[in-house]
Structure formats: structure tokens, C-alpha cells
Amino acid sequence: MPKTSILLVGAGLSGAVIGRELAEAGYEVTIVDQRDHVAGNCHTERDAETDVMIHVYGPHIFHTDDAEVWDYVNRFQTFLPYKNRVKATSGGAVYSLPINLHTINQFFGKTMRPDEARSFIEAKADTSIETPETFEEQALRFVGPQLYEAFFKGYTIKQWGMSPTELPASILKRLPVRFNYDDNYFFHQFQGMPENGYTAMVEGILDHPGITVHLSTTFTQDQAGDYDHVFYSGPLDGWFDYRLGRLGYRTLDFERFTYDGDYQGCAVMNYGEEGVPYTRITEHKHFSPWESHEGSVCYREYSRACEPDDIPYYPIRQVKEKALLSDYVALAEKVEGVTFVGRLGTYRYLDMDVTIREALDTAAAFLKHRDDGTSMPTFVKPPL
Ligand code: FAD
Ligand code: UDP
């Protein structure tokens, strides 16, 4: 009798979505996670002291242009309107991010209209940089030195632990510069927050008779042989016991504090200066603007190099890490019956919507390979 059982390592979005799709296709799905909760890094829970819904591993805002993914998440949770409006403290003043007309006018003490501001910033920009390669070149080319120093340089040194001259331009390209008063941090068509948190959403995804979840269970490779196929959303280098060395990550330390009232009046306040040791303060009750809470809970966020016992957050993906990644990919491609998925399994920074899109595509690819009688690839989306 053919085996029809699937093991998923990790009950984050990758594991939950692939698991659900395959359970709906008739597979018997087992999911293990070493943590004592589902939802991976999107995990949310109520703060015991204030009852505020907290994003335990850092703030998560859902934003996407992918209508299918938006419909998918709305199947399992009601998403309420939420617009991310980030503020930044720099040089003793508070500004609006991403850089928009308000930021520019306030920063330079002007009252410019959009066209005037565009010409003004263009005159400050270093137009000798034709194709920006580094983060710093990208900033100098598009916003000029003053805004770069105030908002990006110090923040980026703190966030990445290296000079913006060593980082790729692509990191800054994620942030728009706007010559109007639109202060929405994201430009996607759909944006919102799950009414009862991401963990409730993931619990909904996992609520299927074909799915069994074992929490506080660390995967060991001897478990793999009992299954038809394994989808692994743990760290790629971890699968190989780090035998070639560790892929570099940044980790975060969260310093919790409470406040009686409203601490900062917004969900996210960034700190652009290098002299302030944290990158940002998040006040979580503002992520659920439809709720009302007297007390407040906030987190100062500090970034540093990830050590073996820390939680890996941001893959570094510099030249050195990419070379090591390529060696691990070569090893992984020799492993049979396993597909590496998700942010850790493919060593990429993935937003939630992209994670879900890839998980849906991975499950569809699995079913197609089964129907075609061909073998499932090790990576559906090559990480290099
Ligand atoms: P994960 O959530 O990391 O899940 C992997 C799971 O595997 C974990 O639960 C882990 O415990 C488990 N695991 C690992 N190894 C093993 C093992 N050996 N045995 C058993 N279990 C194992 N995205 C957005 O769209 N919007 C945001 O605002 C946003 N903010 C973010 C903020 C921060 C600070 C970070 C780091 C990420 C943010 N993201 C955001 C990205 C989001 O967190 C990811 O898209 C999502 O977590 C990816 O899900 P995943 O299932 O691939 O990985
Ligand atoms: N960034 C910055 N100042 C800010 C916000 C962001 O310099 O106030 C830089 C920083 O290097 C960050 C990058 O822009 O890594 C992308 O910003 P995003 O908000 O996407 O950061 P992430 O989600 O990676 O924390």
C-alpha cells in the first residue's frame, strides 16, 4: 500500500499552509514544532498584565498585492483595517516615515508643493551615481546626504551591525520616497491585522481532521523515514548539523516595559541616530486600534549578531553567507524525499504574504509531481 503520510517540520505559516493544502488533498499530515505554540515568528498572545495582543517575535503587519493570498488569510481570520504609519525620532524632532512630503517640508523647514520638493531633493541627490550598488549609494542618489544621515545611516548601522557601504542597495529599495502626504509605510493594495491575532489564524489553518500537530517536539532525522515526504521549514544549515559553518543572521533583543496610558501615540517609533542603542520602540496596543486598553506594553528593539542559542531573525546574505549558502544548497540537493521551505529552510527574508504564496505553490507542485509520477524538487524556489 503506498504511503500517504507527510511530515512538516515547523508550525509557522510555511508548515501550516502546506499542511492544510495537503490535508485537503487527502494526505495524513503530521506537523512538529520545537516551540510550545504554533504560528512560528508571527505568534501573537495576550499580555498577562495589560491584556494587549502582543506580537511576541516583533511586529507583524499583513500587506500584499496578491488577491488569492488575501482571500486565503481572510478565510481563517477577519482582517480589520490597519495602516502602518511609522514615526521616526531624529535630531530632537519627530518625523513621518517613509520619507514623504511632510518629512521633507518639516526637515528642511519649507512649505514646498510636490513638484518643488521633487526638484529640491533631486538637487541634493548625488546624480553622479548612475547605478547604485550599495545601500549608501542608493540613499545618496535618491534622498541626498542630510536625510540619509538623519534617518538611514545610524538606523542601518544598528540594524545590520555594518556600514551601509557594505550593504546592498536592495535593502533600501524596499522603502519608498513620496512627494505627497501619503504616510502609509506600505504601498500594497491589501493591508490589515487579524482581529484575534496571527496565532488564532494559524490555528484555523491547522484545524483539519487530516492534521496532527506535536508542539515542544524537536525534529530529528530518524523521524523522516516514517513519512512519504518531509517539508522542512527549520534552518537549512541545521539540517546538516552546521557541518560547513553557520549561515549568518541578525537576532533581536526585546526589552519590555509597561506604561500607564499611551506611551508614544503610535505603534512604531524608529530611532535614526546611532547614539540611541535601540532601533525602534513598538507599542503593541496601537496594532489593534479597534481595541481599547488603559495600560500599555512596549518593546525597545535591539539588533545584534545571532549566536547559536539565539533566534535567527534576519538572514545577512552578504557575499560570504551566499557562498556558504551555495555549499549548503549543493548538499541539500542530494537529499531525497525532503523539500526545504520557508524563511529558514531557504535562508531568505520572506514577508508573510510571500511565505503563504510560496507554501501554496509548493503544495500545488507536490500534487502535480505526484500526478506526473516525477520526484518533488528539493527547493521549489531556489534560494540563490
Ligand atoms: P517561521 O515563522 O520561522 O516558522 C518556522 C518554525 O519552525 C518555527 O516555529 C520553529 O520553531 C520551527 N522549527 C525550526 N527548526 C525546527 C526543528 N528542528 N524542529 C521542530 N521545529 C522547528 N512579514 C510580514 O509580512 N509583515 C511584517 O510586518 C513582518 N515583520 C517581521 C518582523 C520581524 C522582526 C521578522 C524577523 C520577520 C517579519 N516578517 C514580517 C516575516 C515573517 O515573520 C515571516 O514571513 C514568517 O515568519 C515566515 O514563516 P515560516 O513558517 O517560513 O517561518
Ligand atoms: N531603515 C532605516 N531607517 C528606518 C527604517 C528602515 O535606515 O527608519 C532601513 C534599514 O536598513 C532597514 C531597511 O531600511 O533594514 C528596510 O526597512 P524595513 O522597514 O523594510 O525594515 P525591516 O522590515 O527589514 O526591519
Side-chain angles (χ1 to χ4, degrees), residues 9-10 12-14 32-35 40-42 57 59-61 63 217-219 233-235 252 313-314 342-344 349-352 355:
V9 180
L13 285 175
S14 298
V32 295
D33 201 299
Q34 64 198 9
R35 292 175 173 166
N41 273 14
C42 310
Y57 302 93
H60 278 70
I61 298 108
H63 52 98
T217 305
T218 300
F219 167 75
S233 71
L252 298 173
Y313 280 102
Y314 295 99
R343 62 176 204 99
L344 297 170
Y349 179 86
L350 300 175
D351 272 327
M352 292 182 280
T355 304

Side-chain angles (χ1 to χ4, degrees), residues 163-285:
S163 162
T165 55
E166 296 170 67
L167 288 162
S170 58
I171 295 183
L172 186 56
K173 282 186 194 156
R174 298 211 286 255
L175 294 186
V177 178
R178 300 205 185 98
F179 294 100
N180 58 30
Y181 289 101
D182 181 1
D183 62 350
N184 186 351
Y185 202 71
F186 302 114
F187 41 82
H188 288 127
Q189 195 183 348
F190 308 106
Q191 191 174 164
M193 276 291 176
E195 184 172 15
N196 299 306
Y198 293 101
T199 297
M201 176 181 91
V202 173
E203 281 166 357
I205 297 172
L206 293 169
D207 183 15
H208 186 284
I211 300 178
T212 310
V213 180
H214 300 284
L215 295 178
S216 307
T217 305
T218 300
F219 167 75
T220 51
Q221 287 194 23
D222 53 328
Q223 297 161 8
D226 299 338
Y227 297 88
D228 192 32
H229 197 84
V230 177
F231 292 90
Y232 176 82
S233 71
L236 173 60
D237 49 359
W239 178 277
F240 300 100
D241 289 328
Y242 308 98
R243 76 171 83 135
L244 305 177
R246 284 182 181 263
L247 289 166
Y249 280 93
R250 299 291 289 172
T251 192
L252 298 173
D253 293 322
F254 295 100
E255 188 177 71
R256 178 184 183 278
F257 63 98
T258 54
Y259 187 79
D260 193 13
D262 190 357
Y263 178 71
Q264 61 184 19
C266 64
V268 183
M269 177 70 76
N270 287 0
Y271 287 83
E273 285 152 326
E274 205 183 340
V276 177
Y278 39 86
T279 51
R280 58 184 179 179
I281 298 180
T282 52
E283 184 167 18
H284 287 225
K285 68 177 175 183

Side-chain angles (χ1 to χ4, degrees), residues 101 104-105 110-123 179:
L101 192 48
I104 296 166
N105 273 332
K110 305 263 184 204
T111 55
M112 293 179 283
R113 288 184 292 103
D115 292 352
E116 291 168 336
R118 195 182 289 277
S119 312
F120 179 83
I121 293 297
E122 190 61 20
F179 294 100

Side-chain angles (χ1 to χ4, degrees), residues 292-338:
S292 110
H293 298 274
E294 294 279 303
S296 196
V297 56
C298 304
Y299 293 86
R300 291 188 193 94
E301 215 169 296
Y302 301 81
S303 170
R304 63 176 170 80
C306 186
E307 302 292 338
D309 290 335
D310 296 323
I311 300 174
Y313 280 102
Y314 295 99
I316 295 175
R317 289 184 72 99
Q318 290 288 86
V319 174
K320 183 173 73 141
E321 287 80 12
K322 279 199 181 162
L324 186 55
L325 171 62
S326 135
D327 293 342
Y328 274 120
V329 166
L331 281 184
E333 276 168 348
K334 296 196 190 97
V335 180
E336 282 179 17
V338 180

Side-chain angles (χ1 to χ4, degrees), residues 35-56:
R35 292 175 173 166
D36 64 1
H37 59 76
V38 301
N41 273 14
C42 310
H43 173 54
T44 45
E45 65 186 29
R46 293 246 171 234
D47 180 61
E49 193 181 339
T50 60
D51 203 38
V52 167
M53 184 65 86
I54 49 173
H55 300 202
V56 176

